[in-house]
mmCIF file of all heavy atoms in Angstrom:
data_model
loop_
_atom_site.group_PDB
_atom_site.id
_atom_site.type_symbol
_atom_site.label_atom_id
_atom_site.label_comp_id
_atom_site.label_asym_id
_atom_site.label_seq_id
_atom_site.Cartn_x
_atom_site.Cartn_y
_atom_site.Cartn_z
ATOM 1 N N ASP A 17 15.752 -13.830 -19.176
ATOM 2 C CA ASP A 17 16.466 -13.014 -18.208
ATOM 3 C C ASP A 17 17.585 -12.304 -18.958
ATOM 4 O O ASP A 17 18.435 -13.044 -19.540
ATOM 5 C CB ASP A 17 16.999 -13.828 -17.003
ATOM 6 C CG ASP A 17 17.594 -13.035 -15.939
ATOM 7 O OD1 ASP A 17 18.143 -11.891 -16.257
ATOM 8 O OD2 ASP A 17 17.698 -13.419 -14.757
ATOM 9 N N ILE A 18 17.656 -10.998 -18.992
ATOM 10 C CA ILE A 18 18.650 -10.288 -19.666
ATOM 11 C C ILE A 18 20.070 -10.477 -18.897
ATOM 12 O O ILE A 18 20.017 -10.358 -17.712
ATOM 13 C CB ILE A 18 18.347 -8.770 -19.785
ATOM 14 C CG1 ILE A 18 16.943 -8.535 -20.363
ATOM 15 C CG2 ILE A 18 19.403 -8.040 -20.557
ATOM 16 C CD1 ILE A 18 16.702 -9.022 -21.795
ATOM 17 N N ASP A 19 21.076 -10.706 -19.726
ATOM 18 C CA ASP A 19 22.451 -10.946 -19.100
ATOM 19 C C ASP A 19 22.838 -9.600 -18.528
ATOM 20 O O ASP A 19 22.693 -8.485 -19.068
ATOM 21 C CB ASP A 19 23.431 -11.291 -20.148
ATOM 22 C CG ASP A 19 23.045 -12.637 -20.759
ATOM 23 O OD1 ASP A 19 22.540 -13.456 -20.028
ATOM 24 O OD2 ASP A 19 23.405 -12.809 -21.993
ATOM 25 N N CYS A 20 23.444 -9.569 -17.331
ATOM 26 C CA CYS A 20 24.022 -8.395 -16.705
ATOM 27 C C CYS A 20 23.389 -7.109 -17.079
ATOM 28 O O CYS A 20 24.005 -6.239 -17.648
ATOM 29 C CB CYS A 20 25.555 -8.417 -16.904
ATOM 30 S SG CYS A 20 26.115 -8.315 -18.640
ATOM 31 N N PHE A 21 22.117 -7.027 -16.688
ATOM 32 C CA PHE A 21 21.225 -6.029 -17.302
ATOM 33 C C PHE A 21 21.708 -4.529 -17.233
ATOM 34 O O PHE A 21 21.912 -3.857 -18.283
ATOM 35 C CB PHE A 21 19.790 -6.136 -16.646
ATOM 36 C CG PHE A 21 18.803 -5.148 -17.205
ATOM 37 C CD1 PHE A 21 18.634 -5.015 -18.654
ATOM 38 C CD2 PHE A 21 18.049 -4.381 -16.410
ATOM 39 C CE1 PHE A 21 17.656 -4.165 -19.136
ATOM 40 C CE2 PHE A 21 17.128 -3.448 -16.929
ATOM 41 C CZ PHE A 21 16.984 -3.399 -18.353
ATOM 42 N N LYS A 60 27.405 -10.401 -7.863
ATOM 43 C CA LYS A 60 26.417 -9.302 -7.693
ATOM 44 C C LYS A 60 26.359 -8.881 -6.276
ATOM 45 O O LYS A 60 26.525 -9.659 -5.330
ATOM 46 C CB LYS A 60 25.054 -9.790 -8.155
ATOM 47 C CG LYS A 60 24.981 -9.962 -9.596
ATOM 48 C CD LYS A 60 23.522 -10.325 -10.000
ATOM 49 C CE LYS A 60 23.592 -11.660 -10.805
ATOM 50 N NZ LYS A 60 22.317 -12.188 -11.244
ATOM 51 N N ASP A 109 14.308 -7.029 -15.562
ATOM 52 C CA ASP A 109 14.973 -7.629 -16.771
ATOM 53 C C ASP A 109 14.555 -9.171 -16.929
ATOM 54 O O ASP A 109 15.117 -9.848 -17.592
ATOM 55 C CB ASP A 109 16.443 -7.633 -16.608
ATOM 56 C CG ASP A 109 17.042 -8.663 -15.655
ATOM 57 O OD1 ASP A 109 16.362 -9.001 -14.681
ATOM 58 O OD2 ASP A 109 18.138 -9.115 -15.885
ATOM 59 N N GLU A 110 13.368 -9.505 -16.308
ATOM 60 C CA GLU A 110 12.879 -10.865 -16.520
ATOM 61 C C GLU A 110 11.487 -10.794 -17.007
ATOM 62 O O GLU A 110 10.690 -10.071 -16.567
ATOM 63 C CB GLU A 110 12.985 -11.658 -15.211
ATOM 64 C CG GLU A 110 14.343 -12.000 -14.702
ATOM 65 C CD GLU A 110 14.228 -12.714 -13.362
ATOM 66 O OE1 GLU A 110 13.457 -13.740 -13.249
ATOM 67 O OE2 GLU A 110 14.822 -12.208 -12.362
ATOM 68 N N LYS A 440 16.808 -5.470 -5.324
ATOM 69 C CA LYS A 440 16.571 -5.439 -6.768
ATOM 70 C C LYS A 440 15.406 -4.509 -7.015
ATOM 71 O O LYS A 440 14.394 -4.549 -6.352
ATOM 72 C CB LYS A 440 16.319 -6.883 -7.197
ATOM 73 C CG LYS A 440 16.420 -6.960 -8.681
ATOM 74 C CD LYS A 440 16.531 -8.355 -9.033
ATOM 75 C CE LYS A 440 16.326 -8.605 -10.500
ATOM 76 N NZ LYS A 440 16.566 -9.925 -10.930
HETATM 77 MG MG1 MG B 602 19.556 -10.653 -15.574
#
Side-chain angles (χ1 to χ4, degrees):
D17 184 334
I18 307 296
D19 298 329
C20 55
F21 180 50
K60 286 184 238 180
D109 79 331
E110 290 178 54
K440 194 164 167 172

